[in-house]
Amino acid sequence: MEPEHPHPQPVTFAGGVLDPYRHVCAFVNSKDEESVVLDPFVRQAVDAGDRLLFLLDAKRSAEPVNRLRHLGFDSAALLAQHVCEVRTWADTYLRGGRFDQDEVLTLMERLLRRTDAPRVRMWADMGWAADRPVDSPSLIEFEARANFLHARHQNVVICVYDTAKFDGAFIVDILRTHPMVLLGGVLQQNPYFIPPSEFLHERGARERG
Amino acid sequence: MWMDHAPSEIGASLLSVLSGILDLRAAYARFDGADGSDAIEAWWPAGPGPSPEVVGERAAGASDFAALSVESAGPLRVASVPLTLPWETALVRVSSDRADFPTEMETHLLRIAVGQAVIAFHNARRLMHEQAARRAAEVELHRSAGLIRTLVEELEPALSSISGRIRDAVRELAESDVADAASPARESDPAPAASGVSSRAGVPASSLSRRETEVLGLLAQGLSNKEIAGVLWLSDRTVERHITSLYRKIGVARRSEATAFALQHPSSGLARPALTD
């Protein structure tokens, strides 16, 4: 598929290259571990002229701004220029207080498939799902379906899961829906990834059976 | 063979093995530690003492692994095996009523058995000493732990009292800050101080609008007005207006007080301030 905006340099993240797959599930255990991979990712984004998009808990919505400042950037200017954008869970995954995968996919399409924008590096904290086990099946299906969308753009999407907050069965399913995984601070191609059409077919058969 | 045996058991076991293999009339064994301490004797057959023909002492000047010597004691043949090692000396004497005792094979077996027994003795003695040292260390540890426990119990009331007084002092300081806030603001601040404001403690966070709550949260996390405007896609002027309004509603006059208010109302979903920078 021809890229809409050919970019000269593939994105590197946690020592690995995000090419050709750019949909990552990042398992982190602590803020320090997060900073180790996020600081260079943010710095590279600003230096490359990419856009940063953070999807976060409202209580942590200042963190990306503080991180930019800490890295020596004029955070207010970057925000004003929309080089960095922060959206809360209430604005994205939980609009109206609930998770609707179709609505979120539509939103993602709008955010990630704009033809007049520079490359986007999205960092999505998925902690909102930790206290909503009822949404787990829908979220897993959403992650699988999102791969169809992500195959049609060149942007980077990193879904961050705190392993301490999710149960093992959920993490296994999440692993199966992401072609790249960050584990132990190292990025690698995910050997457990199942192509979305196959994954969704299996899932549908399991639910019917 | 004698891995878990106590030293006293090794001697008896050695003689039992020898008597079975060599068809003996009597046997005697003596093991001494390097300095002559920890002497252990054993004899076979069991009785109040060893048979007289096998009782003996190591000959003075015996070399490390002295040649087996054989002597006659009436109709009996007595074989002696002395053994000297850096950590142990041993003497094993066995008697038989066979005229051809000991044969070459029996001599060989005797030497091997005695050698093995001496090594086992050494290991057993060392293990005993280590166990004794560990027991002594455990007793000392237990005693020290008891002392520490007593010390903690004696100090705990005093430490609790001190920490309570520190907490009270912090609370009084915070309350006096609130009282000072009722006077006009002294430092420059984008939001001018509200007048006739009520005490902060009595103002619920729920009186703030959704936007004001968002602005307060970001402000408490250390963002500047421009940064808040950038995050919320608002103009600087709009942010200033929200700040003015929320200051008035929560009864504060400066940023630090607004941050303190946000900290004191975590249930309203307001953020904790940033820990970096």
Side-chain angles (χ1 to χ4, degrees), chain B residues 23 106 164 172 193 248 252 263:
Chain B
D23 189 21
E106 286 168 340
E172 281 171 26
R248 185 182 66 247
V252 302
L263 280 179

Coordinates of all heavy atoms in Angstrom, one line a residue, chain B residues 23 106 164 172 193 248 252 263:
Chain B
D23 N 35.9 -62.5 59.3 CA 35.7 -63.7 60.2 C 36.6 -63.5 61.4 O 37.5 -64.4 61.6 CB 35.9 -65.0 59.4 CG 35.5 -66.2 60.2 OD1 34.7 -66.0 61.2 OD2 36.0 -67.3 60.0
E106 N 42.9 -59.8 52.5 CA 42.4 -59.3 53.8 C 43.1 -58.0 54.3 O 42.6 -57.1 54.8 CB 42.4 -60.4 54.8 CG 41.3 -61.5 54.6 CD 41.5 -62.7 55.4 OE1 42.7 -62.9 55.9 OE2 40.6 -63.5 55.6
G164 N 3.4 12.7 66.5 CA 2.1 13.4 66.7 C 2.3 14.9 66.8 O 1.5 15.7 66.2
E172 N -1.3 23.2 62.1 CA -1.4 24.6 62.5 C -0.9 25.5 61.5 O -1.5 26.6 61.2 CB -0.7 24.8 63.9 CG -1.5 24.2 65.1 CD -0.7 24.2 66.4 OE1 0.2 25.1 66.4 OE2 -1.0 23.4 67.2
A193 N -6.9 38.6 43.0 CA -7.5 38.0 44.2 C -8.9 38.4 44.3 O -9.4 39.5 44.0 CB -6.7 38.5 45.4
R248 N -12.1 32.3 42.9 CA -13.2 32.9 43.7 C -14.0 31.9 44.3 O -14.4 31.9 45.5 CB -14.0 33.8 42.8 CG -15.1 34.6 43.5 CD -16.0 35.4 42.6 NE -16.8 34.6 41.7 CZ -16.6 34.5 40.4 NH1 -15.7 35.2 39.8 NH2 -17.4 33.7 39.7
V252 N -9.4 31.0 47.2 CA -7.9 31.2 47.2 C -7.5 32.4 46.4 O -8.3 33.0 45.7 CB -7.2 29.9 46.7 CG1 -7.6 28.7 47.4 CG2 -7.4 29.7 45.2
L263 N -5.0 19.2 46.2 CA -4.5 18.0 46.9 C -5.5 17.5 48.0 O -5.6 16.4 48.2 CB -3.2 18.4 47.6 CG -1.9 18.4 46.7 CD1 -0.7 18.9 47.5 CD2 -1.7 17.1 46.1

